[in-house]
Amino acid sequence: MENTEANGGKLKILAIHGYRQNAEKFVEQTEPLRRLVNKWADFVYIRAPHKVFLVDNPDNLNLGEKSDEEQYGWFFNRDNRTNRGIRNGGPAIGYEETIRIIEEVFQKAGPFDGVLGFSQGACLTGLLCDLQHRGLLEAKFNFAIIISGFKSKALPHLKYYSEIINLPSMHVIGDNDRIIPRDMSDALSECFEDALIVRHTGGHIVPVSSDQKEHYENFVKTQYSFKNV
C-alpha cells in the first residue's frame, strides 16, 4: 500500500490501478494529477491481489503461461486467468476476494471520502459504486473519479447497474482509447445520475492537460467543500 496522505482536512481518496499494473506504477502514472489537486486531496494506493499470468494469445487456453510478479489484476474473465475489458461473458475469477480486500482496506486504512480508478480499476470502482448503492458493501465513500472506465461483461456482473447510482462521479473518457473504446466508457457513465463527463483526444491514459485541469480541480474542490462545511 502506498500512502500520500499528509494532513487531516484534505479529502482521502483510495486509488485503484489498472490491469497489469501495481500500486507503485499507478503512483507514477498519477503524479501530475496528485500535484494538481494536492491542496485538497491525498491518495492511498493499493495493489490488486491477483498476479497476472502473461500469454502470447490470451484467448488460446492451450498456450503456456509465464508470470510477471510486478503485474496484478482485480479479477479475470477467462478460465485461463486472463482479462480483457472488451470480452463478453465469462467468469469473474478472484472478484469476491478483491471485494473482501477492499472492505478490509476501508476498515483498516479508511475512512475514504472517494475512490479513483483507472481501466480495470475504474471498472471495479463502478462495481463498488453499485454495491454501495444497493447496501451490499461494507464500506462508504462519497464520490468516484472513473478514468477509462467500463461495465464488466463477465456473467456474474450482468446483474449490476439495474438502478441509476446516485453518487457524484467524474468520468474521464479518451476519444482514441484503443483498449477501452469510448462507447464502453459512455455506457458506464450513463449508470450514474448527473455524471460529469470529461472527454480528451488521447488514448488509454490519465490525462492532465490544460483541457482537463479545470474539471479535476473543480470536481475535487467541490467534494472538499462538502467535507469541510
Side-chain angles (χ1 to χ4, degrees):
M1 185 180 298
E2 297 285 330
N3 194 335
T4 66
E5 183 180 1
N7 52 64
K10 296 182 181 180
L11 297 169
K12 190 173 181 180
I13 299 175
L14 180 65
I16 303 179
H17 65 75
Y19 187 66
R20 292 178 59 174
Q21 290 188 324
N22 56 51
E24 293 79 9
K25 292 293 184 183
F26 200 39
V27 168
E28 296 175 5
Q29 186 180 21
T30 55
E31 182 181 359
L33 175 58
R34 290 201 323 275
R35 290 201 309 266
L36 180 66
V37 300
N38 181 59
K39 294 179 182 178
W40 311 287
D42 292 314
F43 294 80
V44 175
Y45 292 76
I46 56 172
R47 190 193 70 191
H50 309 295
K51 289 182 181 179
V52 170
F53 289 84
L54 305 181
V55 296
D56 294 331
N57 181 350
D59 291 314
N60 186 341
L61 297 179
N62 297 316
L63 287 177
E65 299 175 342
K66 60 180 180 179
S67 65
D68 184 334
E69 296 191 9
E70 298 304 316
Q71 298 186 12
Y72 295 83
W74 300 101
F75 58 87
F76 306 104
N77 60 7
R78 281 294 182 272
D79 290 331
N80 64 346
R81 295 179 67 87
T82 62
N83 189 86
R84 292 184 69 193
I86 62 174
R87 284 176 176 161
N88 290 308
I93 298 170
Y95 173 71
E96 292 183 359
E97 179 184 350
T98 285
I99 295 300
R100 289 196 299 271
I101 289 173
I102 294 290
E103 291 176 332
E104 290 176 3
V105 169
F106 267 83
Q107 183 179 24
K108 296 177 180 179
F112 292 98
D113 300 290
V115 178
L116 176 147
F118 171 69
S119 195
Q120 193 192 40
C123 172
L124 177 59
T125 299
L127 294 168
L128 294 172
C129 292
D130 181 83
L131 287 171
Q132 177 180 248
H133 178 77
R134 292 187 285 142
L136 299 177
L137 185 70
E138 294 184 15
K140 187 180 186 305
F141 53 96
N142 300 319
F143 65 89
I145 300 173
I146 295 175
I147 305 172
S148 292
F150 59 97
K151 296 167 65 175
S152 171
K153 300 178 183 179
L155 294 178
H157 295 154
L158 297 183
K159 60 187 176 183
Y160 286 71
Y161 306 116
S162 60
E163 301 177 5
I164 297 297
I165 300 169
N166 183 17
L167 185 79
S169 62
M170 176 179 177
H171 301 256
V172 183
I173 300 172
D175 289 337
N176 293 296
D177 192 330
R178 297 184 179 181
I179 305 299
I180 303 299
R182 63 182 182 182
D183 61 332
M184 293 178 62
S185 294
D186 286 335
L188 177 57
S189 71
E190 292 168 0
C191 297
F192 290 79
E193 184 175 347
D194 297 327
L196 170 63
I197 310 297
V198 179
R199 300 189 183 278
H200 63 95
T201 58
H204 201 62
I205 60 174
V206 179
V208 193
S209 69
S210 56
D211 291 336
Q212 294 89 48
K213 285 182 178 179
E214 183 178 358
H215 294 292
Y216 285 124
E217 288 180 334
N218 288 342
F219 184 82
V220 172
K221 281 194 292 185
T222 297
Q223 303 310 315
Y224 175 85
S225 299
F226 288 155
K227 177 179 181 177
N228 292 281
V229 170

